[in-house]
Coordinates of all heavy atoms in Angstrom, one line a residue:
M220 N 77.1 117.5 62.0 CA 77.6 117.8 60.6 C 76.7 117.0 59.6 O 76.5 115.8 59.8 CB 79.1 117.4 60.4 CG 79.5 117.6 59.1 SD 81.3 117.3 59.1 CE 81.5 116.5 57.5
T221 N 76.2 117.7 58.7 CA 75.3 117.0 57.7 C 76.1 116.6 56.5 O 77.0 117.3 56.1 CB 74.2 117.9 57.2 OG1 74.7 119.0 56.6 CG2 73.2 118.3 58.4
R222 N 75.8 115.4 55.9 CA 76.4 115.0 54.7 C 75.8 115.5 53.5 O 74.6 115.7 53.4 CB 76.3 113.5 54.6 CG 77.1 112.8 55.8 CD 77.1 111.3 55.6 NE 77.9 110.8 56.6 CZ 78.4 109.5 56.5 NH1 78.3 108.9 55.4 NH2 79.1 109.1 57.6
H223 N 76.6 115.9 52.5 CA 76.2 116.4 51.3 C 75.4 115.3 50.5 O 75.9 114.2 50.4 CB 77.3 117.0 50.5 CG 76.9 117.3 49.1 ND1 76.2 118.5 48.8 CD2 77.1 116.7 47.9 CE1 75.9 118.5 47.5 NE2 76.4 117.5 46.9
R224 N 74.2 115.6 50.0 CA 73.5 114.7 49.1 C 73.4 115.2 47.8 O 73.2 116.5 47.6 CB 72.1 114.4 49.7 CG 72.1 113.7 51.0 CD 72.2 112.3 50.9 NE 72.0 111.6 52.2 CZ 72.1 110.3 52.3 NH1 72.4 109.6 51.3 NH2 72.0 109.8 53.5
P225 N 73.6 114.5 46.7 CA 73.4 115.0 45.4 C 72.0 115.3 45.1 O 71.1 114.9 45.9 CB 73.9 113.8 44.4 CG 73.8 112.6 45.3 CD 74.0 113.1 46.7
P226 N 71.7 116.1 44.0 CA 70.3 116.4 43.7 C 69.4 115.1 43.7 O 69.8 114.1 43.2 CB 70.4 117.0 42.3 CG 71.8 117.6 42.3 CD 72.6 116.6 43.1
G227 N 68.2 115.3 44.3 CA 67.4 114.1 44.4 C 67.5 113.4 45.7 O 66.7 112.5 46.1
G228 N 68.5 113.8 46.5 CA 68.6 113.2 47.9 C 69.3 111.8 48.0 O 69.3 111.3 49.0
E229 N 69.7 111.3 46.8 CA 70.2 110.0 46.8 C 71.7 110.0 47.1 O 72.4 110.8 46.4 CB 70.0 109.3 45.5 CG 68.5 109.1 45.2 CD 68.2 108.5 43.8 OE1 69.1 107.7 43.5 OE2 67.3 108.8 43.2
A230 N 72.2 109.1 47.8 CA 73.6 109.0 48.1 C 74.3 108.3 46.9 O 73.6 107.5 46.2 CB 73.9 108.2 49.3
P231 N 75.6 108.7 46.5 CA 76.1 108.0 45.4 C 76.3 106.5 45.8 O 76.6 106.1 46.9 CB 77.5 108.6 45.2 CG 77.7 109.4 46.5 CD 76.4 109.7 47.1
R232 N 76.2 105.6 44.8 CA 76.3 104.2 45.0 C 77.8 103.8 45.2 O 78.6 104.3 44.6 CB 75.8 103.4 43.7 CG 75.6 102.0 44.0 CD 74.8 101.4 42.8 NE 75.8 100.8 42.0 CZ 75.6 100.2 40.9 NH1 74.4 100.2 40.3 NH2 76.5 99.6 40.2
R233 N 78.1 102.9 46.1 CA 79.4 102.5 46.4 C 79.9 101.5 45.2 O 79.1 100.8 44.7 CB 79.5 101.8 47.7 CG 79.2 102.7 48.8 CD 79.5 102.0 50.2 NE 79.3 102.9 51.2 CZ 80.2 103.6 51.9 NH1 81.5 103.3 51.6 NH2 80.0 104.4 52.8
L234 N 81.2 101.6 45.0 CA 81.8 100.8 44.0 C 81.8 99.3 44.5 O 82.3 99.0 45.6 CB 83.2 101.2 43.7 CG 83.9 100.7 42.6 CD1 83.1 100.9 41.2 CD2 85.3 101.3 42.4
G235 N 81.1 98.4 43.8 CA 81.1 97.0 44.2 C 82.4 96.3 44.0 O 83.3 96.7 43.3
P236 N 82.5 95.1 44.6 CA 83.8 94.3 44.5 C 84.1 94.0 43.1 O 85.3 94.0 42.7 CB 83.6 93.1 45.3 CG 82.2 93.2 45.9 CD 81.5 94.4 45.4
T237 N 83.2 93.6 42.2 CA 83.5 93.3 40.8 C 84.0 94.5 40.1 O 85.1 94.4 39.3 CB 82.3 92.7 40.1 OG1 81.8 91.6 40.9 CG2 82.6 92.2 38.8
A238 N 83.3 95.6 40.2 CA 83.7 96.8 39.5 C 85.1 97.3 40.0 O 86.0 97.7 39.2 CB 82.7 98.0 39.7
L239 N 85.3 97.2 41.3 CA 86.6 97.6 41.9 C 87.7 96.7 41.3 O 88.7 97.2 41.0 CB 86.5 97.5 43.4 CG 87.8 97.9 44.2 CD1 88.2 99.3 43.9 CD2 87.6 97.7 45.7
A240 N 87.5 95.4 41.2 CA 88.5 94.6 40.7 C 88.8 94.9 39.2 O 90.0 94.8 38.8 CB 88.0 93.0 40.8
R241 N 87.8 95.2 38.5 CA 88.0 95.6 37.1 C 88.9 96.9 36.9 O 89.7 97.0 36.2 CB 86.8 95.6 36.3 CG 86.1 94.3 36.0 CD 84.9 94.5 35.1 NE 84.0 95.5 35.8 CZ 83.0 96.0 35.3 NH1 82.6 95.7 34.0 NH2 82.2 96.8 36.0
V242 N 88.5 97.8 37.8 CA 89.2 99.1 37.8 C 90.7 98.9 38.2 O 91.6 99.4 37.6 CB 88.6 100.2 38.7 CG1 89.5 101.4 39.0 CG2 87.3 100.6 38.1
L243 N 90.9 98.2 39.4 CA 92.2 97.8 39.8 C 93.0 97.1 38.8 O 94.2 97.3 38.6 CB 92.2 97.1 41.1 CG 91.7 97.9 42.4 CD1 91.5 97.0 43.6 CD2 92.6 99.1 42.6
G244 N 92.4 96.1 38.1 CA 93.0 95.4 37.0 C 93.5 96.3 35.9 O 94.6 96.1 35.4
A245 N 92.6 97.3 35.5 CA 93.0 98.2 34.4 C 94.2 99.1 34.8 O 95.1 99.3 34.0 CB 91.8 99.0 34.0
V246 N 94.2 99.5 36.1 CA 95.3 100.3 36.5 C 96.6 99.4 36.7 O 97.7 99.9 36.5 CB 94.9 101.1 37.8 CG1 96.1 101.8 38.4 CG2 93.8 102.0 37.6
A247 N 96.4 98.2 37.1 CA 97.6 97.4 37.3 C 98.3 97.1 36.0 O 99.5 96.9 36.0 CB 97.2 96.0 37.9
L248 N 97.6 97.2 34.9 CA 98.2 97.0 33.6 C 99.0 98.2 33.1 O 99.7 98.1 32.1 CB 97.2 96.6 32.6 CG 96.5 95.3 32.8 CD1 95.4 95.1 31.8 CD2 97.5 94.1 32.7
R249 N 99.0 99.3 33.9 CA 99.6 100.5 33.5 C 100.5 101.0 34.6 O 100.2 101.9 35.3 CB 98.5 101.6 33.3 CG 97.6 101.4 32.2 CD 98.3 101.6 30.8 NE 99.0 102.9 30.7 CZ 98.4 104.0 30.2 NH1 97.2 104.0 29.9 NH2 99.1 105.1 30.3
P250 N 101.7 100.4 34.7 CA 102.7 100.8 35.8 C 103.1 102.2 35.8 O 103.4 102.8 36.8 CB 103.9 99.8 35.6 CG 103.5 98.8 34.7 CD 102.2 99.3 33.9
D251 N 103.0 102.9 34.6 CA 103.3 104.2 34.4 C 102.3 105.1 35.3 O 102.6 106.3 35.5 CB 103.3 104.7 33.0 CG 102.1 104.5 32.2 OD1 101.5 103.3 32.4 OD2 101.6 105.4 31.6
L252 N 101.1 104.6 35.5 CA 100.1 105.3 36.3 C 100.1 105.0 37.8 O 99.3 105.6 38.5 CB 98.7 105.1 35.7 CG 98.5 105.6 34.3 CD1 97.1 105.2 33.7 CD2 98.7 107.1 34.3
W253 N 100.9 104.1 38.2 CA 100.8 103.7 39.7 C 101.1 104.8 40.6 O 100.4 105.1 41.5 CB 101.7 102.5 39.9 CG 101.4 101.2 39.3 CD1 100.2 101.0 38.5 CD2 102.0 100.0 39.2 NE1 100.2 99.7 38.1 CE2 101.4 99.0 38.5 CE3 103.3 99.7 39.8 CZ2 101.8 97.7 38.3 CZ3 103.7 98.3 39.6 CH2 103.0 97.4 38.9
P254 N 102.2 105.7 40.3 CA 102.4 106.8 41.2 C 101.3 107.8 41.3 O 100.9 108.3 42.3 CB 103.7 107.5 40.7 CG 104.3 106.4 39.8 CD 103.3 105.5 39.3
T255 N 100.7 108.0 40.1 CA 99.6 109.0 40.0 C 98.4 108.4 40.8 O 97.7 109.1 41.4 CB 99.2 109.2 38.6 OG1 100.4 109.7 37.9 CG2 98.1 110.2 38.4
A256 N 98.1 107.1 40.6 CA 97.0 106.5 41.3 C 97.2 106.5 42.9 O 96.3 106.9 43.5 CB 96.8 105.1 40.8
A257 N 98.4 106.3 43.2 CA 98.7 106.4 44.7 C 98.5 107.8 45.2 O 97.9 108.0 46.3 CB 100.1 105.9 45.0
L258 N 99.0 108.8 44.5 CA 98.8 110.1 44.8 C 97.4 110.6 44.9 O 96.9 111.2 45.8 CB 99.6 111.1 43.9 CG 99.6 112.6 44.2 CD1 100.1 112.8 45.6 CD2 100.2 113.3 43.1
Q259 N 96.6 110.2 43.9 CA 95.2 110.5 43.8 C 94.4 109.9 45.0 O 93.5 110.5 45.6 CB 94.5 110.1 42.6 CG 94.9 110.9 41.3 CD 94.6 112.4 41.6 OE1 95.5 113.2 41.8 NE2 93.4 112.8 41.7
V260 N 94.7 108.7 45.4 CA 94.1 108.1 46.5 C 94.5 108.8 47.8 O 93.6 109.2 48.6 CB 94.6 106.6 46.7 CG1 94.2 106.0 48.1 CG2 94.0 105.7 45.6
R261 N 95.8 109.2 47.9 CA 96.2 110.0 49.1 C 95.5 111.4 49.2 O 95.1 111.8 50.3 CB 97.7 110.2 49.0 CG 98.2 110.8 50.3 CD 99.8 110.8 50.3 NE 100.2 112.1 50.7 CZ 100.9 113.0 50.0 NH1 101.4 112.7 48.9 NH2 101.1 114.2 50.5
V262 N 95.3 112.1 48.1 CA 94.8 113.4 48.2 C 93.3 113.5 48.2 O 92.7 114.5 48.6 CB 95.3 114.4 47.0 CG1 96.8 114.4 47.1 CG2 94.9 113.9 45.7
T263 N 92.6 112.4 47.7 CA 91.1 112.4 47.7 C 90.5 111.7 48.9 O 89.3 111.9 49.0 CB 90.6 112.0 46.4 OG1 91.0 110.6 46.1 CG2 91.0 112.8 45.2
A264 N 91.2 110.8 49.5 CA 90.6 109.9 50.6 C 90.2 110.9 51.7 O 90.8 111.8 52.0 CB 91.6 108.9 51.0
C265 N 89.1 110.5 52.3 CA 88.6 111.2 53.5 C 89.6 111.1 54.6 O 90.2 110.0 54.9 CB 87.3 110.6 54.0 SG 85.9 111.0 53.0
P266 N 89.9 112.1 55.3 CA 90.7 112.0 56.5 C 90.3 111.0 57.5 O 89.1 110.9 57.8 CB 90.7 113.5 57.1 CG 90.2 114.3 56.0 CD 89.4 113.5 55.2
G267 N 91.1 110.1 58.0 CA 90.8 109.1 59.0 C 89.9 108.0 58.4 O 89.3 107.3 59.1
W268 N 90.1 107.7 57.1 CA 89.4 106.6 56.5 C 89.6 105.3 57.1 O 88.7 104.5 57.1 CB 89.7 106.7 55.0 CG 91.1 106.3 54.6 CD1 92.0 107.3 54.4 CD2 91.7 105.1 54.5 NE1 93.2 106.7 54.1 CE2 93.1 105.4 54.2 CE3 91.3 103.7 54.6 CZ2 94.0 104.3 54.0 CZ3 92.2 102.8 54.4 CH2 93.6 103.1 54.1
W269 N 90.8 105.1 57.7 CA 91.1 103.8 58.3 C 90.4 103.5 59.6 O 90.5 102.4 60.1 CB 92.6 103.8 58.6 CG 93.1 104.8 59.4 CD1 93.2 104.8 60.8 CD2 93.5 106.1 59.1 NE1 93.6 106.0 61.3 CE2 93.9 106.9 60.2 CE3 93.7 106.8 57.8 CZ2 94.3 108.2 60.2 CZ3 94.2 108.1 57.9 CH2 94.5 108.8 59.0
R270 N 89.7 104.5 60.2 CA 89.1 104.3 61.4 C 87.6 103.7 61.3 O 87.0 103.4 62.3 CB 88.9 105.7 62.1 CG 90.2 106.2 62.6 CD 89.9 107.5 63.4 NE 91.1 108.3 63.3 CZ 91.1 109.6 63.0 NH1 90.0 110.2 62.8 NH2 92.2 110.3 63.0
H271 N 87.2 103.6 60.0 CA 85.8 103.1 59.8 C 85.8 101.8 59.0 O 86.7 101.6 58.2 CB 85.0 104.2 58.9 CG 85.0 105.5 59.5 ND1 84.2 105.8 60.6 CD2 85.8 106.6 59.2 CE1 84.4 107.1 60.9 NE2 85.4 107.6 60.0
W272 N 84.9 100.9 59.3 CA 84.8 99.6 58.7 C 83.9 99.6 57.6 O 82.8 100.1 57.7 CB 84.5 98.5 59.7 CG 84.7 97.2 59.2 CD1 83.7 96.3 58.8 CD2 85.9 96.5 59.0 NE1 84.3 95.2 58.2 CE2 85.6 95.3 58.4 CE3 87.2 96.8 59.3 CZ2 86.6 94.4 58.1 CZ3 88.2 95.9 59.0 CH2 87.9 94.7 58.4
P273 N 84.2 99.0 56.5 CA 85.5 98.5 56.1 C 86.5 99.6 55.8 O 86.0 100.7 55.2 CB 85.2 97.6 54.9 CG 84.0 98.3 54.2 CD 83.2 98.8 55.4
P274 N 87.7 99.5 56.1 CA 88.7 100.6 55.8 C 89.0 100.7 54.3 O 89.7 99.8 53.8 CB 89.9 100.2 56.7 CG 89.8 98.8 56.8 CD 88.3 98.4 56.8
R275 N 88.4 101.7 53.7 CA 88.6 102.0 52.3 C 88.9 103.4 52.1 O 88.2 104.3 52.6 CB 87.4 101.5 51.4 CG 87.2 100.1 51.5 CD 86.0 99.7 50.5 NE 84.8 100.4 50.9 CZ 83.7 100.3 50.3 NH1 83.6 99.7 49.1 NH2 82.6 100.9 50.7
P276 N 90.0 103.8 51.4 CA 90.4 105.2 51.2 C 89.5 105.9 50.1 O 89.9 106.1 49.0 CB 91.9 105.1 50.8 CG 92.0 103.8 50.1 CD 91.0 102.9 50.8
M277 N 88.2 106.0 50.4 CA 87.3 106.7 49.5 C 87.1 108.2 49.7 O 87.3 108.6 50.8 CB 85.9 106.0 49.7 CG 85.9 104.5 49.3 SD 86.1 104.2 47.7 CE 84.6 104.8 46.9
P278 N 86.9 108.9 48.6 CA 86.6 110.3 48.8 C 85.4 110.6 49.5 O 84.5 109.7 49.7 CB 86.6 110.8 47.3 CG 86.4 109.7 46.5 CD 86.8 108.4 47.3
A279 N 85.2 111.8 50.0 CA 83.9 112.2 50.6 C 82.8 112.0 49.7 O 82.9 112.2 48.5 CB 84.1 113.7 51.1
A280 N 81.6 111.7 50.2 CA 80.4 111.4 49.4 C 80.1 112.6 48.5 O 79.7 112.4 47.3 CB 79.2 111.1 50.3
G281 N 80.2 113.8 49.0 CA 79.8 115.0 48.2 C 80.8 115.2 47.0 O 80.4 115.4 45.9
Y282 N 82.1 114.9 47.2 CA 83.1 115.1 46.2 C 82.9 114.0 45.1 O 82.8 114.1 43.9 CB 84.5 114.9 46.8 CG 85.5 114.9 45.7 CD1 85.9 116.1 45.0 CD2 86.1 113.8 45.3 CE1 86.8 116.1 44.0 CE2 87.1 113.7 44.3 CZ 87.5 114.9 43.7 OH 88.4 114.9 42.7
L283 N 82.6 112.7 45.6 CA 82.3 111.6 44.7 C 81.1 111.8 43.9 O 81.1 111.6 42.7 CB 82.2 110.3 45.5 CG 82.1 109.0 44.7 CD1 83.2 108.8 43.7 CD2 81.9 107.8 45.6
A284 N 80.0 112.4 44.5 CA 78.8 112.7 43.8 C 79.1 113.7 42.7 O 78.6 113.6 41.6 CB 77.8 113.1 44.7
F285 N 79.8 114.7 43.1 CA 80.2 115.8 42.1 C 80.9 115.2 40.9 O 80.6 115.5 39.7 CB 81.0 116.9 42.7 CG 81.7 117.8 41.7 CD1 80.9 118.8 41.1 CD2 83.0 117.7 41.5 CE1 81.5 119.6 40.2 CE2 83.6 118.6 40.6 CZ 82.8 119.5 39.9
R286 N 82.0 114.4 41.2 CA 82.8 113.8 40.1 C 82.0 112.9 39.2 O 82.1 112.9 38.0 CB 84.0 113.0 40.7 CG 85.0 113.8 41.4 CD 85.7 114.8 40.5 NE 86.3 114.1 39.4 CZ 86.7 114.7 38.3 NH1 86.5 115.9 38.1 NH2 87.2 114.0 37.3
L287 N 81.1 112.0 39.8 CA 80.3 111.1 39.0 C 79.3 111.9 38.2 O 79.1 111.6 37.1 CB 79.6 110.2 39.9 CG 80.6 109.1 40.6 CD1 79.7 108.3 41.7 CD2 81.2 108.2 39.7
E288 N 78.7 112.9 38.8 CA 77.7 113.7 38.0 C 78.3 114.5 36.9 O 77.8 114.6 35.7 CB 77.0 114.6 38.9 CG 75.8 115.3 38.2 CD 74.8 115.9 39.2 OE1 74.9 115.6 40.4 OE2 74.0 116.7 38.6
S289 N 79.6 115.0 37.1 CA 80.2 115.7 36.0 C 80.8 114.8 34.9 O 80.8 115.2 33.8 CB 81.3 116.6 36.6 OG 82.3 115.8 37.2
A290 N 81.1 113.6 35.3 CA 81.6 112.7 34.3 C 80.4 111.8 33.6 O 80.5 111.7 32.4 CB 82.5 111.6 35.0
Y291 N 79.4 111.5 34.3 CA 78.3 110.6 33.7 C 77.0 111.3 33.6 O 76.0 110.7 33.1 CB 78.2 109.3 34.5 CG 79.5 108.5 34.5 CD1 80.3 108.5 35.7 CD2 79.8 107.8 33.4 CE1 81.4 107.7 35.7 CE2 80.9 106.9 33.5 CZ 81.7 106.9 34.5 OH 82.9 106.2 34.6
G292 N 76.8 112.5 34.2 CA 75.5 113.1 34.1 C 74.6 112.7 35.3 O 73.5 113.1 35.3
S293 N 75.1 111.9 36.2 CA 74.3 111.4 37.3 C 75.3 111.0 38.4 O 76.4 110.5 38.1 CB 73.5 110.2 36.8 OG 72.9 109.6 38.0
A294 N 74.9 111.1 39.6 CA 75.6 110.7 40.7 C 75.5 109.2 40.9 O 76.2 108.6 41.8 CB 75.3 111.4 42.0
R295 N 74.7 108.5 40.1 CA 74.5 107.1 40.3 C 74.7 106.3 39.0 O 73.8 105.9 38.4 CB 73.1 106.8 40.8 CG 72.8 107.4 42.2 CD 71.4 107.3 42.7 NE 71.1 105.8 42.8 CZ 71.4 105.1 43.9 NH1 72.0 105.7 44.9 NH2 71.0 103.8 44.0
P296 N 76.0 106.3 38.5 CA 76.2 105.5 37.3 C 76.0 104.0 37.5 O 76.0 103.5 38.6 CB 77.7 105.7 36.9 CG 78.3 105.9 38.3 CD 77.2 106.6 39.1
I297 N 75.8 103.3 36.4 CA 75.5 101.9 36.5 C 76.9 101.2 37.1 O 76.8 100.4 38.0 CB 75.3 101.2 35.1 CG1 73.9 101.7 34.7 CG2 75.3 99.7 35.2 CD1 73.5 101.4 33.3
D298 N 78.0 101.6 36.5 CA 79.3 101.1 37.0 C 80.4 102.0 36.5 O 80.1 102.5 35.3 CB 79.6 99.7 36.5 CG 79.2 98.6 37.6 OD1 79.3 98.8 38.8 OD2 78.6 97.5 37.1
L299 N 81.4 102.2 37.2 CA 82.5 102.9 36.6 C 83.1 102.1 35.5 O 83.3 100.9 35.7 CB 83.6 103.1 37.7 CG 83.4 104.3 38.7 CD1 84.5 104.3 39.7 CD2 83.3 105.6 37.9
V300 N 83.6 102.8 34.5 CA 84.2 102.1 33.4 C 85.7 102.2 33.6 O 86.2 103.3 33.8 CB 83.8 102.8 32.0 CG1 84.5 102.2 30.9 CG2 82.3 102.8 31.9
P301 N 86.4 101.1 33.6 CA 87.8 101.1 33.9 C 88.6 102.0 33.0 O 89.6 102.7 33.4 CB 88.2 99.6 33.7 CG 87.0 98.8 34.1 CD 85.9 99.7 33.5
A302 N 88.2 102.1 31.7 CA 88.9 102.9 30.8 C 88.7 104.4 31.2 O 89.7 105.2 31.0 CB 88.4 102.7 29.3
D303 N 87.6 104.7 31.8 CA 87.4 106.1 32.2 C 88.4 106.5 33.4 O 88.9 107.5 33.5 CB 86.0 106.3 32.7 CG 85.0 106.3 31.5 OD1 85.4 106.4 30.4 OD2 83.7 106.3 31.8
V304 N 88.5 105.5 34.3 CA 89.5 105.7 35.4 C 90.9 105.9 34.9 O 91.6 106.8 35.4 CB 89.3 104.5 36.4 CG1 90.4 104.7 37.6 CG2 87.9 104.5 37.0
V305 N 91.3 105.0 34.0 CA 92.6 105.2 33.4 C 92.8 106.5 32.7 O 93.8 107.2 32.9 CB 92.9 104.0 32.4 CG1 94.2 104.2 31.6 CG2 93.0 102.6 33.2
H306 N 91.8 106.9 31.9 CA 91.8 108.2 31.3 C 92.0 109.3 32.3 O 92.7 110.3 32.1 CB 90.6 108.4 30.4 CG 90.6 109.7 29.7 ND1 91.4 110.0 28.6 CD2 89.9 110.8 29.9 CE1 91.2 111.2 28.2 NE2 90.3 111.7 28.9
H307 N 91.2 109.2 33.4 CA 91.3 110.3 34.4 C 92.6 110.3 35.1 O 93.1 111.4 35.3 CB 90.2 110.0 35.5 CG 90.3 110.9 36.7 ND1 89.9 112.2 36.5 CD2 90.7 110.7 37.9 CE1 90.1 112.8 37.7 NE2 90.6 112.0 38.6
L308 N 93.2 109.2 35.3 CA 94.6 109.1 35.9 C 95.6 109.8 34.9 O 96.5 110.4 35.3 CB 94.9 107.7 36.3 CG 94.2 107.2 37.5 CD1 94.6 105.7 37.7 CD2 94.5 108.0 38.7
E309 N 95.5 109.5 33.6 CA 96.4 110.1 32.6 C 96.2 111.6 32.6 O 97.2 112.3 32.6 CB 96.0 109.5 31.2 CG 96.4 108.1 31.0 CD 95.9 107.5 29.7 OE1 94.9 108.0 29.1 OE2 96.5 106.5 29.3
W310 N 95.0 112.0 32.7 CA 94.7 113.4 32.8 C 95.3 114.1 34.0 O 96.0 115.1 33.9 CB 93.2 113.7 32.8 CG 92.9 115.2 32.8 CD1 92.8 116.1 31.8 CD2 92.5 115.9 34.0 NE1 92.5 117.3 32.3 CE2 92.3 117.3 33.5 CE3 92.4 115.6 35.3 CZ2 91.9 118.3 34.5 CZ3 92.1 116.6 36.2 CH2 91.8 117.9 35.8
C311 N 95.2 113.5 35.2 CA 95.8 114.0 36.4 C 97.3 114.1 36.3 O 97.9 115.1 36.7 CB 95.4 113.0 37.6 SG 93.7 113.1 38.1
R312 N 97.9 112.9 35.8 CA 99.4 113.0 35.6 C 99.8 114.1 34.6 O 100.8 114.8 35.0 CB 99.8 111.6 35.0 CG 101.3 111.5 34.7 CD 101.6 110.3 33.9 NE 100.9 110.4 32.6 CZ 100.7 109.4 31.8 NH1 101.2 108.2 32.2 NH2 100.1 109.5 30.7
D313 N 99.1 114.3 33.5 CA 99.4 115.3 32.6 C 99.3 116.7 33.2 O 100.1 117.6 32.9 CB 98.6 115.2 31.3 CG 99.0 113.9 30.6 OD1 100.0 113.2 30.9 OD2 98.1 113.5 29.7
Q314 N 98.2 116.9 33.9 CA 98.0 118.2 34.5 C 99.1 118.5 35.6 O 99.5 119.7 35.7 CB 96.6 118.3 35.2 CG 95.4 118.3 34.2 CD 95.5 119.4 33.3 OE1 95.7 120.5 33.6 NE2 95.5 119.1 32.0
R315 N 99.5 117.6 36.3 CA 100.6 117.8 37.3 C 101.8 118.1 36.6 O 102.6 119.0 37.0 CB 100.7 116.5 38.2 CG 101.1 116.8 39.6 CD 101.0 115.6 40.5 NE 99.7 115.2 41.0 CZ 98.9 115.9 41.8 NH1 99.3 117.1 42.2 NH2 97.8 115.4 42.2
R316 N 102.1 117.5 35.5 CA 103.3 117.8 34.8 C 103.3 119.2 34.2 O 104.3 119.9 34.2 CB 103.5 116.8 33.5 CG 104.0 115.4 34.0 CD 104.1 114.4 32.8 NE 104.6 113.2 33.2 CZ 104.5 112.1 32.5 NH1 104.1 112.2 31.2 NH2 104.9 110.9 32.9
L317 N 102.1 119.6 33.7 CA 102.0 121.0 33.1 C 102.1 122.0 34.1 O 102.5 123.2 33.8 CB 100.7 121.0 32.4 CG 100.5 120.3 31.1 CD1 99.1 120.4 30.6 CD2 101.5 120.9 30.0
S318 N 101.7 121.7 35.4 CA 101.7 122.7 36.4 C 103.1 123.0 37.0 O 103.3 123.9 37.8 CB 100.8 122.4 37.5 OG 101.2 121.2 38.3
R319 N 104.1 122.2 36.6 CA 105.4 122.4 37.2 C 106.2 123.5 36.6 O 106.0 124.0 35.5 CB 106.3 121.1 37.0 CG 105.8 120.0 37.9 CD 106.7 118.7 37.6 NE 106.0 117.7 38.2 CZ 106.5 116.4 38.1 NH1 107.5 116.1 37.4 NH2 105.8 115.4 38.7

């Protein structure tokens, strides 16, 4: 099975520990988004993510590249902006409410 590569053949950059801590900190300040964040991790994480080291529930590289390119215009942003992640989670929560 071949892995999807974004245009240019570059793999999306992994989220570093500092950026991850800032994103988690921003979400931690919003308890109203915790259920949505947990659901998004559950529905976007690659199946069997716990079998690979380090075990991180990350989405598939192709999906991540698509989301980063659609949000930032490139699959290789400098860093995720915590406010963007919070806004995305708010959008996911609102869309789920509207679809009921």
